[in-house]
Amino acid sequence: MRNYSQLGGTEADEQEMRMLGRTQQLNRNFRFISTLGFACTLMSTWEIALMTSFFGLLNGGTAGLVWGYFVVWLGYMLVFATIAEMASMAPTSGGQYHWVSEFAPRNCQKFISYLVGWTSVLGWQTGLASLAFLVGTMIQGLLVLDNDTYVFERWHGTLLVIAITAFCIIFNTFLAKKLPMVEGLVLIIHLLGFFAVLIPLWVLAPRNSPKVVFTEFSNLGEWDSKGLSFMVGLLAPIYTLIGADSAVHMSEEIKDASIVLPKAIMWAATINGSLGFVMIITFCFTLGSVFDILETPTGYPFIQVFYNVTQSKAGTSIMTAIIIVNITSACISTVATVSRQTWSFARDKGLPFSSFISHVKPGWNIPLNAVLLTFAITTLLSLINIGSTVAFNAIGSLAVSAILGTYIISFVCLILRRLRKEPMPPRRWSLGGVGIFINIGAVCFLLVVWVFVFFPIDKNVTAKTMNWNVVMFCGTMIFAVIYYLIVGRKQYTAPVDLVKRHL
């Protein structure tokens, strides 16, 4: 057995891994700042808040964008707090599917855990493709702005997705040992970039009145009421703030994980949430006419706002490039999260070809095969965009519904355990007596927003505007159930079978 100190762990890490029935295979290179940087840059909240503003402006307007973000942020804080406590109970790369395996009723632990494992892998794999696609199309948006002769082609976006992902793979393979240092540096860029975008907007832009920003709701999706339109528009902040479990899947690479991880999660939620809220308010004050920026040929309203404010293509390109760099950094972190989640589930024989996927390259101490598989999956998913952007966007929205679904199931299992008065696992970061109320609040919030994730952005649905997320989500769940009945129930090792809480 490897020496824990050689891999960077503490005695607490060693005890927890032994208690969880795991063997330390990965280097514990991450400390608090690098973990905080990892979580903050993966979420890239203020950057993605600008990128997804189209959905909120279409359904909700400026007031809907501001108050929708605030409401979702408060709800997500309950989610973050619940995940932080569960991460302290069981700091493992498996995350949700491990927690479900421990906390679900005994007669369905294995089955529910398996479904959550599949859903989590599905959510993060499609989420990476969606994030890389946003970067690619943002680059295309800049090309449209800077070059009047450029024609927006779908295959260009696909090639950019592949190139961006390949770039991120380098940091997760050859430069893997430097990844914690990179995350710390990117955190600085994330914070400095915020002010580099914020200050020009406030200094140069004409401003809307507070009444317009905070009280004017719109319903451009033509729903039956502005209230319903507002709820549909919540997709923007839901996507912006998602990823509470991102650092959890790096648990086995964090030193003193059971205390460092929950602290990093809560600080990331506070810092990123605050930056995002300030940026959203700034954007709504400086965007000018909502109708004009929604019609922008760049595909991104915020790029048009940058140009309207600066009246300079060079200035707009620099401000947008800052966001492109930061979101590309988020892709680097996402590759790490996705590959660790996939590797962990394969380690428990939850996937086809699990022995290959779960292999850890000696000397490198990283799940290399899982990283390369992640690159292959993203490449294949990006090819769908060549045939249909609608189909590819449906896959992207699938990421949100899948990840939120894993939160709901794991939180419900935790609540049931608390209500049954069963002993809770020891943890170094605890919600105390208010834990049950925070857990219930998180589930109530998630159930509401999860429903609206499946709504189309426009009431008058066509094949192009239909949200096919529900079809794909149900289809993948049916496939997972069938695969479990045929193969999974024989091969899959539920994490609870390995746990030795008495140690």
Side-chain angles (χ1 to χ4, degrees):
M1 181 182 292
R2 290 187 179 92
N3 188 302
Y4 277 81
S5 61
Q6 291 178 346
L7 295 175
T10 65
E11 289 186 10
D13 292 323
E14 180 179 0
Q15 170 66 17
E16 286 156 359
M17 289 293 283
R18 190 163 54 240
M19 182 174 60
L20 296 173
R22 302 295 185 184
T23 300
Q24 185 69 40
Q25 294 179 278
L26 311 179
N27 289 320
R28 290 188 181 268
N29 292 330
F30 283 81
R31 306 296 188 265
F32 174 76
I33 292 298
S34 51
T35 305
L36 177 64
F38 182 94
C40 285
T41 56
L42 186 146
M43 293 176 66
S44 291
T45 304
W46 71 261
E47 298 92 337
I48 296 180
L50 291 174
M51 295 170 66
T52 59
S53 59
F54 171 84
F55 302 101
L57 291 173
L58 188 68
N59 288 295
T62 52
L65 200 60
V66 170
W67 296 117
Y69 180 96
F70 184 69
V71 169
V72 171
W73 181 27
L74 292 181
Y76 263 124
M77 288 302 293
L78 303 177
V79 174
F80 275 91
T82 301
I83 286 179
E85 185 179 43
M86 295 176 82
S88 189
M89 294 178 188
T92 168
S93 298
Q96 294 94 306
Y97 86 87
H98 176 102
W99 302 333
V100 168
S101 179
E102 275 207 74
F103 301 146
R106 294 185 184 278
N107 60 349
C108 56
Q109 283 177 328
K110 186 173 183 178
F111 175 66
I112 298 179
S113 170
Y114 187 81
L115 287 186
V116 170
W118 260 96
T119 307
S120 187
V121 170
L122 169 74
W124 278 108
Q125 289 287 354
T126 54
L128 172 61
S130 174
L131 192 62
F133 180 72
L134 286 176
V135 180
T137 52
M138 193 159 37
I139 293 172
Q140 287 184 283
L142 266 188
L143 290 173
V144 169
L145 178 71
D146 294 332
N147 185 354
D148 295 334
T149 63
Y150 177 73
V151 179
F152 208 108
E153 297 284 356
R154 289 197 296 266
W155 65 271
H156 293 175
T158 294
L159 289 179
L160 285 168
V161 169
I162 296 172
I164 291 163
T165 309
F167 175 76
C168 296
I169 293 297
I170 294 173
F171 282 89
N172 281 274
T173 51
F174 301 109
L175 301 178
K177 292 183 179 179
K178 303 293 183 181
L179 188 57
M181 180 188 70
V182 171
E183 296 295 350
L185 293 175
V186 170
L187 175 61
I188 297 173
I189 298 173
H190 173 66
L191 297 174
L192 293 179
F194 170 79
F195 293 102
V197 171
L198 187 80
I199 293 173
L201 290 177
W202 279 115
V203 171
L204 300 176
R207 298 171 194 171
N208 289 325
S209 68
K211 180 180 179 181
V212 170
V213 172
F214 295 109
T215 66
E216 288 195 2
F217 293 84
S218 62
N219 180 14
L220 300 182
E222 299 182 353
W223 294 94
D224 294 338
S225 68
K226 288 186 178 180
L228 180 57
S229 178
F230 170 79
M231 296 302 295
V232 174
L234 291 180
L235 175 63
I238 290 168
Y239 186 86
T240 298
L241 289 159
I242 202 168
D245 62 312
S246 59
V248 170
H249 303 298
M250 303 298 292
S251 293
E252 295 175 36
E253 293 167 75
I254 298 173
K255 187 172 184 178
D256 215 12
S258 60
I259 188 64
V260 168
L261 179 58
K263 287 182 177 179
I265 289 173
M266 295 309 297
W267 273 105
T270 304
I271 293 171
N272 266 21
S274 301
L275 296 180
F277 192 49
V278 171
M279 185 59 75
I280 282 292
I281 292 175
T282 300
F283 181 69
C284 289
F285 265 107
T286 59
L287 57 76
S289 169
V290 171
F291 296 97
D292 290 343
I293 65 172
L294 288 178
E295 297 295 327
T296 176
T298 66
Y300 286 97
F302 80 89
I303 295 180
Q304 190 63 48
V305 171
F306 288 175
Y307 181 69
N308 293 345
V309 168
T310 63
Q311 291 297 304
S312 166
K313 290 184 178 180
T316 301
S317 298
I318 292 171
M319 293 172 70
T320 306
I322 291 171
I323 297 177
I324 290 174
V325 169
N326 286 349
I327 302 298
T328 301
S329 301
C331 289
I332 293 173
S333 301
T334 305
V335 168
T337 289
V338 174
S339 58
R340 271 57 171 186
Q341 169 68 93
T342 305
W343 163 75
S344 181
F345 196 47
R347 178 175 59 178
D348 291 326
K349 300 179 176 62
L351 297 171
F353 311 108
S354 287
S355 59
F356 171 79
I357 299 171
S358 62
H359 176 71
V360 174
K361 184 175 177 60
W364 290 33
N365 297 334
I366 60 170
L368 180 61
N369 292 351
V371 173
L372 297 178
L373 174 65
T374 297
F375 174 66
I377 291 174
T378 301
T379 299
L380 292 174
L381 289 176
S382 70
L383 297 177
I384 297 173
N385 180 59
I386 297 177
S388 172
T389 300
V390 175
F392 185 83
N393 286 335
I395 291 174
S397 63
L398 177 62
V400 178
S401 57
I403 293 174
L404 293 184
T406 65
Y407 295 168
I408 293 170
I409 296 173
S410 56
F411 292 2
V412 168
C413 291
L414 177 64
I415 292 170
L416 289 175
R417 174 127 178 186
R418 289 187 187 275
L419 293 177
R420 291 195 301 262
K421 304 295 184 181
E422 295 181 9
M424 300 298 293
R427 63 272 194 198
R428 299 164 70 190
W429 193 92
S430 174
L431 294 174
V434 299
I436 182 67
F437 303 105
I438 292 176
N439 303 155
I440 292 174
V443 170
C444 292
F445 162 74
L446 289 171
L447 286 173
V448 172
V449 298
W450 190 69
V451 170
F452 286 97
V453 164
F454 294 102
F455 274 56
I457 62 173
D458 195 313
K459 179 184 176 182
N460 303 311
V461 177
T462 65
K464 289 187 176 181
T465 60
M466 173 61 184
N467 187 345
W468 297 101
N469 182 2
V470 64
V471 177
M472 302 188 70
F473 183 82
C474 292
T476 51
M477 289 302 94
I478 292 172
F479 174 81
V481 170
I482 294 174
Y483 189 83
Y484 174 81
L485 294 175
I486 297 174
V487 179
R489 64 188 179 89
K490 302 174 184 176
Q491 296 184 354
Y492 176 58
T493 303
V496 69
D497 294 337
L498 305 174
V499 172
K500 306 176 184 65
R501 288 287 180 188
H502 60 280
L503 293 178

